PDB file of all heavy atoms in Angstrom:
ATOM      1  N   PRO F 920       3.724   2.283  -1.651  1.00  0.00           N
ATOM      2  CA  PRO F 920       4.093   2.930  -2.915  1.00  0.00           C
ATOM      3  C   PRO F 920       2.918   3.515  -3.676  1.00  0.00           C
ATOM      4  O   PRO F 920       3.093   4.367  -4.526  1.00  0.00           O
ATOM      5  CB  PRO F 920       4.731   1.776  -3.715  1.00  0.00           C
ATOM      6  CG  PRO F 920       5.110   0.759  -2.696  1.00  0.00           C
ATOM      7  CD  PRO F 920       4.078   0.884  -1.629  1.00  0.00           C
ATOM      8  N   MET F 940     -11.477   9.538  -4.186  1.00  0.00           N
ATOM      9  CA  MET F 940     -11.026   9.962  -2.865  1.00  0.00           C
ATOM     10  C   MET F 940     -12.120   9.767  -1.827  1.00  0.00           C
ATOM     11  O   MET F 940     -11.869   9.324  -0.714  1.00  0.00           O
ATOM     12  CB  MET F 940     -10.588  11.429  -2.909  1.00  0.00           C
ATOM     13  CG  MET F 940      -9.322  11.669  -3.694  1.00  0.00           C
ATOM     14  SD  MET F 940      -8.788  13.396  -3.613  1.00  0.00           S
ATOM     15  CE  MET F 940      -8.383  13.525  -1.881  1.00  0.00           C
ATOM     16  N   ALA F 952     -13.474   1.985  12.158  1.00  0.00           N
ATOM     17  CA  ALA F 952     -14.538   1.546  13.061  1.00  0.00           C
ATOM     18  C   ALA F 952     -14.421   0.060  13.358  1.00  0.00           C
ATOM     19  O   ALA F 952     -14.648  -0.385  14.482  1.00  0.00           O
ATOM     20  CB  ALA F 952     -15.901   1.858  12.436  1.00  0.00           C
ATOM     21  N   LYS F 962     -17.529 -18.814  23.311  1.00  0.00           N
ATOM     22  CA  LYS F 962     -18.273 -19.041  24.540  1.00  0.00           C
ATOM     23  C   LYS F 962     -18.647 -20.508  24.633  1.00  0.00           C
ATOM     24  O   LYS F 962     -18.991 -21.134  23.649  1.00  0.00           O
ATOM     25  CB  LYS F 962     -19.551 -18.187  24.576  1.00  0.00           C
ATOM     26  CG  LYS F 962     -19.277 -16.694  24.628  1.00  0.00           C
ATOM     27  CD  LYS F 962     -18.803 -16.302  26.012  1.00  0.00           C
ATOM     28  CE  LYS F 962     -18.687 -14.803  26.139  1.00  0.00           C
ATOM     29  NZ  LYS F 962     -17.724 -14.199  25.279  1.00  0.00           N
ATOM     30  N   LEU F 967     -23.505 -19.887  28.168  1.00  0.00           N
ATOM     31  CA  LEU F 967     -24.573 -19.182  27.466  1.00  0.00           C
ATOM     32  C   LEU F 967     -25.935 -19.640  27.953  1.00  0.00           C
ATOM     33  O   LEU F 967     -26.821 -18.834  28.229  1.00  0.00           O
ATOM     34  CB  LEU F 967     -24.441 -19.413  25.971  1.00  0.00           C
ATOM     35  CG  LEU F 967     -23.336 -18.630  25.250  1.00  0.00           C
ATOM     36  CD1 LEU F 967     -23.217 -19.091  23.813  1.00  0.00           C
ATOM     37  CD2 LEU F 967     -23.616 -17.143  25.299  1.00  0.00           C
ATOM     38  N   TYR F 983     -23.190 -10.562  27.180  1.00  0.00           N
ATOM     39  CA  TYR F 983     -21.929 -10.004  26.679  1.00  0.00           C
ATOM     40  C   TYR F 983     -20.828 -10.279  27.689  1.00  0.00           C
ATOM     41  O   TYR F 983     -20.795  -9.698  28.774  1.00  0.00           O
ATOM     42  CB  TYR F 983     -22.091  -8.500  26.446  1.00  0.00           C
ATOM     43  CG  TYR F 983     -20.896  -7.842  25.810  1.00  0.00           C
ATOM     44  CD1 TYR F 983     -20.479  -8.201  24.528  1.00  0.00           C
ATOM     45  CD2 TYR F 983     -20.186  -6.852  26.484  1.00  0.00           C
ATOM     46  CE1 TYR F 983     -19.387  -7.597  23.932  1.00  0.00           C
ATOM     47  CE2 TYR F 983     -19.093  -6.240  25.893  1.00  0.00           C
ATOM     48  CZ  TYR F 983     -18.697  -6.618  24.618  1.00  0.00           C
ATOM     49  OH  TYR F 983     -17.611  -6.005  24.042  1.00  0.00           O
ATOM     50  N   ASP F 990     -16.964 -18.362  31.526  1.00  0.00           N
ATOM     51  CA  ASP F 990     -16.771 -19.655  30.874  1.00  0.00           C
ATOM     52  C   ASP F 990     -16.662 -20.749  31.937  1.00  0.00           C
ATOM     53  O   ASP F 990     -15.804 -20.695  32.829  1.00  0.00           O
ATOM     54  CB  ASP F 990     -15.504 -19.639  30.017  1.00  0.00           C
ATOM     55  CG  ASP F 990     -15.675 -18.790  28.768  1.00  0.00           C
ATOM     56  OD1 ASP F 990     -16.823 -18.367  28.503  1.00  0.00           O
ATOM     57  OD2 ASP F 990     -14.678 -18.548  28.074  1.00  0.00           O
ATOM     58  N   PHE F 997     -21.104 -16.512  39.237  1.00  0.00           N
ATOM     59  CA  PHE F 997     -21.879 -15.436  38.633  1.00  0.00           C
ATOM     60  C   PHE F 997     -22.379 -14.465  39.700  1.00  0.00           C
ATOM     61  O   PHE F 997     -22.304 -13.246  39.526  1.00  0.00           O
ATOM     62  CB  PHE F 997     -23.065 -16.002  37.859  1.00  0.00           C
ATOM     63  CG  PHE F 997     -23.960 -14.947  37.276  1.00  0.00           C
ATOM     64  CD1 PHE F 997     -23.682 -14.388  36.033  1.00  0.00           C
ATOM     65  CD2 PHE F 997     -25.076 -14.492  37.961  1.00  0.00           C
ATOM     66  CE1 PHE F 997     -24.494 -13.397  35.495  1.00  0.00           C
ATOM     67  CE2 PHE F 997     -25.895 -13.507  37.434  1.00  0.00           C
ATOM     68  CZ  PHE F 997     -25.600 -12.962  36.193  1.00  0.00           C
ATOM     69  N   PHE F1015     -19.964  10.131  40.496  1.00  0.00           N
ATOM     70  CA  PHE F1015     -20.380  11.015  39.400  1.00  0.00           C
ATOM     71  C   PHE F1015     -21.281  12.121  39.932  1.00  0.00           C
ATOM     72  O   PHE F1015     -21.154  13.287  39.537  1.00  0.00           O
ATOM     73  CB  PHE F1015     -21.099  10.221  38.317  1.00  0.00           C
ATOM     74  CG  PHE F1015     -21.321  10.989  37.049  1.00  0.00           C
ATOM     75  CD1 PHE F1015     -20.353  11.003  36.060  1.00  0.00           C
ATOM     76  CD2 PHE F1015     -22.483  11.726  36.849  1.00  0.00           C
ATOM     77  CE1 PHE F1015     -20.545  11.728  34.884  1.00  0.00           C
ATOM     78  CE2 PHE F1015     -22.676  12.452  35.691  1.00  0.00           C
ATOM     79  CZ  PHE F1015     -21.707  12.454  34.696  1.00  0.00           C
ATOM     80  N   VAL F1020     -22.277  17.848  41.644  1.00  0.00           N
ATOM     81  CA  VAL F1020     -22.664  18.757  42.721  1.00  0.00           C
ATOM     82  C   VAL F1020     -21.549  19.747  43.031  1.00  0.00           C
ATOM     83  O   VAL F1020     -21.765  20.968  43.094  1.00  0.00           O
ATOM     84  CB  VAL F1020     -23.046  17.953  43.978  1.00  0.00           C
ATOM     85  CG1 VAL F1020     -23.227  18.885  45.176  1.00  0.00           C
ATOM     86  CG2 VAL F1020     -24.332  17.171  43.736  1.00  0.00           C
ATOM     87  N   LEU F1025     -21.701  23.610  44.834  1.00  0.00           N
ATOM     88  CA  LEU F1025     -22.280  23.229  46.116  1.00  0.00           C
ATOM     89  C   LEU F1025     -21.273  22.437  46.934  1.00  0.00           C
ATOM     90  O   LEU F1025     -20.782  21.398  46.497  1.00  0.00           O
ATOM     91  CB  LEU F1025     -23.552  22.390  45.900  1.00  0.00           C
ATOM     92  CG  LEU F1025     -24.686  23.079  45.136  1.00  0.00           C
ATOM     93  CD1 LEU F1025     -25.852  22.110  44.946  1.00  0.00           C
ATOM     94  CD2 LEU F1025     -25.157  24.324  45.877  1.00  0.00           C
ATOM     95  N   GLY F1035      -8.836  26.063  59.691  1.00  0.00           N
ATOM     96  CA  GLY F1035      -9.703  27.033  59.042  1.00  0.00           C
ATOM     97  C   GLY F1035      -9.842  26.854  57.551  1.00  0.00           C
ATOM     98  O   GLY F1035     -10.341  27.764  56.863  1.00  0.00           O
ATOM     99  N   ILE F1062     -11.490   9.560  55.709  1.00  0.00           N
ATOM    100  CA  ILE F1062     -12.450   9.170  54.676  1.00  0.00           C
ATOM    101  C   ILE F1062     -12.402   7.665  54.442  1.00  0.00           C
ATOM    102  O   ILE F1062     -13.438   6.988  54.392  1.00  0.00           O
ATOM    103  CB  ILE F1062     -12.168   9.931  53.367  1.00  0.00           C
ATOM    104  CG1 ILE F1062     -12.443  11.425  53.556  1.00  0.00           C
ATOM    105  CG2 ILE F1062     -13.008   9.376  52.220  1.00  0.00           C
ATOM    106  CD1 ILE F1062     -12.045  12.276  52.369  1.00  0.00           C
ATOM    107  N   ALA F1072     -20.138  -2.583  58.454  1.00  0.00           N
ATOM    108  CA  ALA F1072     -21.322  -2.518  59.307  1.00  0.00           C
ATOM    109  C   ALA F1072     -22.637  -2.546  58.532  1.00  0.00           C
ATOM    110  O   ALA F1072     -23.626  -3.121  59.009  1.00  0.00           O
ATOM    111  CB  ALA F1072     -21.265  -1.253  60.172  1.00  0.00           C
ATOM    112  N   PHE F1073     -22.675  -1.968  57.345  1.00  0.00           N
ATOM    113  CA  PHE F1073     -23.950  -1.795  56.647  1.00  0.00           C
ATOM    114  C   PHE F1073     -23.962  -2.348  55.226  1.00  0.00           C
ATOM    115  O   PHE F1073     -24.936  -2.980  54.814  1.00  0.00           O
ATOM    116  CB  PHE F1073     -24.335  -0.308  56.614  1.00  0.00           C
ATOM    117  CG  PHE F1073     -24.477   0.319  57.961  1.00  0.00           C
ATOM    118  CD1 PHE F1073     -23.471   1.123  58.477  1.00  0.00           C
ATOM    119  CD2 PHE F1073     -25.613   0.103  58.729  1.00  0.00           C
ATOM    120  CE1 PHE F1073     -23.594   1.699  59.726  1.00  0.00           C
ATOM    121  CE2 PHE F1073     -25.744   0.670  59.982  1.00  0.00           C
ATOM    122  CZ  PHE F1073     -24.729   1.470  60.491  1.00  0.00           C
ATOM    123  N   ILE F1111     -32.789  -1.068  36.135  1.00  0.00           N
ATOM    124  CA  ILE F1111     -32.470   0.361  36.045  1.00  0.00           C
ATOM    125  C   ILE F1111     -31.217   0.665  36.862  1.00  0.00           C
ATOM    126  O   ILE F1111     -30.314   1.374  36.398  1.00  0.00           O
ATOM    127  CB  ILE F1111     -33.661   1.205  36.535  1.00  0.00           C
ATOM    128  CG1 ILE F1111     -34.815   1.113  35.536  1.00  0.00           C
ATOM    129  CG2 ILE F1111     -33.250   2.663  36.738  1.00  0.00           C
ATOM    130  CD1 ILE F1111     -36.100   1.751  36.022  1.00  0.00           C
ATOM    131  N   GLU F1112     -31.158   0.120  38.074  1.00  0.00           N
ATOM    132  CA  GLU F1112     -29.976   0.355  38.907  1.00  0.00           C
ATOM    133  C   GLU F1112     -28.719  -0.209  38.246  1.00  0.00           C
ATOM    134  O   GLU F1112     -27.658   0.420  38.248  1.00  0.00           O
ATOM    135  CB  GLU F1112     -30.146  -0.276  40.285  1.00  0.00           C
ATOM    136  CG  GLU F1112     -28.943  -0.017  41.190  1.00  0.00           C
ATOM    137  CD  GLU F1112     -28.932  -0.872  42.448  1.00  0.00           C
ATOM    138  OE1 GLU F1112     -29.520  -1.968  42.443  1.00  0.00           O
ATOM    139  OE2 GLU F1112     -28.314  -0.449  43.435  1.00  0.00           O
ATOM    140  N   MET F1120     -20.023   3.996  35.868  1.00  0.00           N
ATOM    141  CA  MET F1120     -18.636   3.526  35.839  1.00  0.00           C
ATOM    142  C   MET F1120     -17.903   4.104  34.641  1.00  0.00           C
ATOM    143  O   MET F1120     -16.750   4.546  34.751  1.00  0.00           O
ATOM    144  CB  MET F1120     -18.597   1.991  35.825  1.00  0.00           C
ATOM    145  CG  MET F1120     -18.918   1.355  37.170  1.00  0.00           C
ATOM    146  SD  MET F1120     -18.645  -0.438  37.216  1.00  0.00           S
ATOM    147  CE  MET F1120     -20.230  -1.029  36.606  1.00  0.00           C
ATOM    148  N   VAL F1133      -6.194  17.577  30.809  1.00  0.00           N
ATOM    149  CA  VAL F1133      -6.308  19.036  30.744  1.00  0.00           C
ATOM    150  C   VAL F1133      -4.938  19.700  30.688  1.00  0.00           C
ATOM    151  O   VAL F1133      -4.726  20.649  29.908  1.00  0.00           O
ATOM    152  CB  VAL F1133      -7.142  19.568  31.927  1.00  0.00           C
ATOM    153  CG1 VAL F1133      -6.994  21.084  32.051  1.00  0.00           C
ATOM    154  CG2 VAL F1133      -8.603  19.217  31.747  1.00  0.00           C
ATOM    155  N   GLY F1136      -3.407  20.496  27.354  1.00  0.00           N
ATOM    156  CA  GLY F1136      -3.973  21.526  26.495  1.00  0.00           C
ATOM    157  C   GLY F1136      -5.351  21.208  25.962  1.00  0.00           C
ATOM    158  O   GLY F1136      -5.844  21.924  25.084  1.00  0.00           O
ATOM    159  N   LEU F1141     -17.700  19.661  28.667  1.00  0.00           N
ATOM    160  CA  LEU F1141     -18.463  18.421  28.768  1.00  0.00           C
ATOM    161  C   LEU F1141     -19.918  18.688  29.120  1.00  0.00           C
ATOM    162  O   LEU F1141     -20.235  19.649  29.818  1.00  0.00           O
ATOM    163  CB  LEU F1141     -17.837  17.515  29.832  1.00  0.00           C
ATOM    164  CG  LEU F1141     -16.371  17.148  29.623  1.00  0.00           C
ATOM    165  CD1 LEU F1141     -15.852  16.335  30.803  1.00  0.00           C
ATOM    166  CD2 LEU F1141     -16.196  16.371  28.331  1.00  0.00           C
ATOM    167  N   ILE F1144     -21.272  18.677  33.180  1.00  0.00           N
ATOM    168  CA  ILE F1144     -20.117  19.044  33.994  1.00  0.00           C
ATOM    169  C   ILE F1144     -19.530  20.385  33.583  1.00  0.00           C
ATOM    170  O   ILE F1144     -19.177  21.218  34.407  1.00  0.00           O
ATOM    171  CB  ILE F1144     -19.032  17.946  33.923  1.00  0.00           C
ATOM    172  CG1 ILE F1144     -19.583  16.625  34.469  1.00  0.00           C
ATOM    173  CG2 ILE F1144     -17.791  18.363  34.694  1.00  0.00           C
ATOM    174  CD1 ILE F1144     -19.900  16.645  35.931  1.00  0.00           C
TER     175      ILE F1144
END
Side-chain angles (χ1 to χ4, degrees):
M940 291 184 66
K962 295 286 187 297
L967 284 173
Y983 185 63
D990 288 351
F997 177 86
F1015 191 88
V1020 171
L1025 299 178
I1062 293 173
F1073 301 102
I1111 290 172
E1112 181 193 26
M1120 285 188 273
V1133 167
L1141 303 176
I1144 299 294

